[in-house]
Structure formats: C-alpha cells, structure tokens
Amino acid sequence: MRVIVAPDSFGETLTAVAAAESISAGWRRGRPGDDVVIAPQSDGGPGFVDVLATAGGDIRTARVSGPLTAAVDATWLFESDTAYIESAEAVGLGLLGGPPTRDTALAAHSLGVGELLAVALEAGVKTVVVGLGGSCCTDGGRGLVEALGGLEVAAAATAGTQLVAATDVEHVLLGEHGAAAVFGPQKGADAEAVAVLEARNARWAEQLESATGKRVSDFPGAGAAGGIGAALFALGAQRRSGADVVADRTGQAALLASADLVITGEGKFDHQSLRGKLVTTLASAGAAHGVPTLVFAGQVTLDEADYASTSIVAAKSVTDFAGSVERAMEEASACLEGLAEHTAREWNFWRGVRR
C-alpha cells in the first residue's frame, strides 16, 4: 500500500512533525513493504510554522513578549513576499511554564503576536498569514493591537499588507459560543474568571466596532486564539481555513490521489473533532479520492457509531495501548510508534474482519 501519514500535533506532547515520524517508523516496521510518505498537517495551531517549513522557506526567529512576563524566542516563516506566523509561538499554552491556572488565564496577553506581526511587516512582505490556535490568552487580540501602537497606528501599518487569519475555529468573540465561554476553562479560567474575560472582551468589542464600523466580534473565527481573530478582522484580515493553507503548501491533493490509506491523528479524538477539525477535514478530502482514513489519538472518546458516516475506518488510542495516561504522555513518541507497528502488523487480518 501507499500510506500517507498526515497527523496534526498531539497537544503539548508531540508536534505534528514528530508524530508523523513516530507513526511512520512504527508502520514501516509492521509493514516493511508499504510505501510510507510523511506529510504532517496543521489547522493553524501549534506546529503551524514547522509543518509549513517542510515545503520550503526560511525559518526566522524573533525575541518577543511571552504570554505573561518573560520574553520568548518565536519562529516564523519567510518565503518570497509572504510571512507565516504562528500565534502559539508567542502565546501557546506550553509557554506558561506549568499547567494553566485562573491567574494565568486572567493575565495572559497577545503582545508577542503583535510583535511578530511587526517583525514580518519590517521584512517588507506583502502577505502575512497568522495561524490561530493553542493560545493561553483570552484578550480579544488587544495585546496584538497595543504592540502595533493602537488601533489607528496598527491600521495604518497594515494598510498595504494582505492579512490572513488562518483558523478552522468558527467561534465568535462573545457569548455562549465565544472565546471566554468555550475556551476559557481549557486555559484555567473558572466561572468567575470567564465572566471577567467576557466583560473585558465586550468592552474591547465596542472599541473595535467604533473604530471600524463593523461588528467584527460576530465574524466566524473572531474567537480563535482567545479572540486574536477579532483584532485581525478589525485590521482587515480575511479568514481562511488553516488546514487549507497547509494542504495547498504541502501538495495534499496530489498525495491523497495517490494513496491507498491515510493515517492522521491528534491529541484527543472527540466530538469536537467531528466539527471541522483537521482530522475529519482530511478524512473528507481522502474520501473524495476513495481513500479510507485511520486515526491515531492520545485519547479516543468516540464510539465507532459516532464516526460511521465518515471515511474513518478506525480510531486507535495511544492511552489504551500504553495502559495509562501518564505513560502515554511521558513516553509519547515510543507509545505512538508501538501502536502504529501493532496496528500495521494486524492490518490485513483486521481489515478482513471489518469488511
């Protein structure tokens, strides 16, 4: 078989590139006769720049503000007249230095993303693509705007540049489906902190509307990366699927057309995965070519019936294979590799039983 290995990142444990390498190594041991092609993917969240860099370009590093007080070294990708920025490089959950808490949820900001944007603009690019996802902040992108000198100055600085907000998240900025309510708890916010963040973003949304004449807080994707999407939309950004950005650069369509099997994966395969996340987007793209998809995930909380209507033929849990969440995280690469080898060795038998 020709097997395309195209996972997303596995949360904070494995980048998409590392996950792809582990899966491919295990699969090759289990089925040495298969033609295995590595094609790591991203939807704009953690690993966006690393994945895009597999298709070329110049990776650069900038010292910018981290999400709290310490500065961080953030990478971005320069190619011709385009810059690719990953918000998680400046405000990712992994930069907190520990688990998120109520205090970090309230204090985290997006200044560093604005500073990265400023560095890209200074390089003279015509287009800046900002990958959104995996952030620990919920400031509505206020920090980004402040880093550029405020709304008026930021608008002038970006006027001649095409901005792209790369995200597959459709959440708006405010309300029950907004950044604070939906993602705040994942970032350490309790109910009281969520209310504080919501109130802050509501005031910020009023400022954005006053300055632009548009209710950018209601735009799909405005709540991405803690609301950074809203700030980018206020500066004239267009929204594009992060997965599509990566698919175009990595030649995904041609790879899928030549495949017999697609293997993808992510940290947790759950009901959110079925709502336009990279795993199911990739499965749909594979289905268009008649190619089945196999999913590996740190944890699988779905039953086969939940994804029966997709082209996903199975979802395998690293945690189940490892025997515990602790081992699955501490030995993430080895466990994922072992699961891939085990699945590959049983593939023909398993497929016969399933079909």
Side-chain angles (χ1 to χ4, degrees), residues 220-308:
I228 293 175
L232 290 174
F233 294 147
L235 297 178
Q238 299 296 309
R239 175 174 175 253
R240 190 178 177 208
S241 161
D244 285 352
V245 171
V246 171
D248 287 350
R249 272 187 59 84
T250 58
Q252 184 189 102
L255 287 174
L256 294 179
S258 68
D260 297 301
L261 173 68
V262 173
I263 301 177
T264 186
E266 60 181 349
K268 179 180 285 189
F269 186 55
D270 57 17
H271 283 285
Q272 285 195 7
S273 303
L274 303 179
R275 298 172 182 169
K277 289 185 69 176
L278 185 142
V279 166
T280 47
T281 298
L282 184 62
S284 296
H289 296 280
V291 182
T293 296
L294 170 64
V295 175
F296 291 134
Q299 297 180 59
V300 175
T301 64
L302 299 178
D303 296 324
E304 290 182 17
D306 294 321
Y307 54 83

Side-chain angles (χ1 to χ4, degrees), residues 192-214:
E192 183 181 2
V194 166
V196 172
L197 294 168
E198 179 75 8
R200 287 180 186 174
N201 282 341
R203 292 192 294 271
W204 176 234
E206 291 177 358
Q207 294 181 47
L208 294 179
E209 183 176 354
S210 176
T212 64
K214 297 178 290 186

Side-chain angles (χ1 to χ4, degrees), residues 1-341:
M1 295 195 301
R2 182 172 171 83
V3 182
I4 308 302
V5 178
D8 197 350
S9 65
F10 277 56
E12 299 300 320
T13 59
L14 290 172
T15 66
V17 174
E21 290 172 347
S22 295
I23 293 169
S24 64
W27 195 270
R28 287 185 174 114
R29 282 204 307 272
R31 288 177 58 93
D34 284 353
D35 176 19
V36 181
V37 180
I38 294 177
Q41 301 294 306
S42 172
D43 60 3
F48 185 61
V49 165
D50 283 346
V51 168
L52 291 171
T54 62
D58 178 20
I59 292 184
R60 301 183 177 185
T61 303
R63 190 74 172 168
V64 301
S65 299
L68 299 175
T69 56
V72 298
D73 291 320
T75 58
W76 62 286
L77 185 66
F78 174 87
E79 185 175 38
S80 184
D81 59 356
T82 301
Y84 297 92
I85 291 172
E86 179 185 322
S87 60
E89 280 286 298
V91 296
L93 280 163
L95 299 175
L96 290 175
T101 65
R102 181 183 188 279
D103 289 341
T104 62
L106 292 171
H109 55 74
S110 59
L111 275 169
V113 184
E115 292 167 359
L116 269 177
L117 179 54
V119 169
L121 293 173
E122 289 172 5
V125 297
K126 296 180 180 178
T127 302
V128 180
V129 181
V130 184
L132 302 178
S135 77
C136 62
C137 70
T138 314
D139 70 346
R142 182 191 289 268
L144 178 153
V145 172
E146 291 178 349
L148 294 173
L151 277 169
E152 186 174 343
V153 175
T158 58
T161 306
Q162 180 182 8
L163 296 179
V164 178
T167 178
D168 290 333
V169 170
E170 297 185 349
H171 295 276
V172 294
L173 180 62
L174 304 173
E176 63 177 328
H177 301 298
V182 175
F183 302 112
Q186 302 172 16
K187 304 175 184 184
D190 58 16
E192 183 181 2
V194 166
V196 172
L197 294 168
E198 179 75 8
R200 287 180 186 174
N201 282 341
R203 292 192 294 271
W204 176 234
E206 291 177 358
Q207 294 181 47
L208 294 179
E209 183 176 354
S210 176
T212 64
K214 297 178 290 186
R215 291 184 60 86
V216 295
S217 61
D218 290 342
F219 287 16
I228 293 175
L232 290 174
F233 294 147
L235 297 178
Q238 299 296 309
R239 175 174 175 253
R240 190 178 177 208
S241 161
D244 285 352
V245 171
V246 171
D248 287 350
R249 272 187 59 84
T250 58
Q252 184 189 102
L255 287 174
L256 294 179
S258 68
D260 297 301
L261 173 68
V262 173
I263 301 177
T264 186
E266 60 181 349
K268 179 180 285 189
F269 186 55
D270 57 17
H271 283 285
Q272 285 195 7
S273 303
L274 303 179
R275 298 172 182 169
K277 289 185 69 176
L278 185 142
V279 166
T280 47
T281 298
L282 184 62
S284 296
H289 296 280
V291 182
T293 296
L294 170 64
V295 175
F296 291 134
Q299 297 180 59
V300 175
T301 64
L302 299 178
D303 296 324
E304 290 182 17
D306 294 321
Y307 54 83
S309 62
T310 73
S311 62
I312 296 172
V313 292
K316 301 290 187 177
S317 166
V318 178
T319 296
D320 289 349
F321 177 80
S324 70
V325 173
E326 291 75 19
R327 180 168 180 252
M329 296 186 70
E330 292 172 2
E331 303 175 33
S333 179
C335 289
L336 179 58
E337 189 172 322
L339 175 60
E341 179 181 0

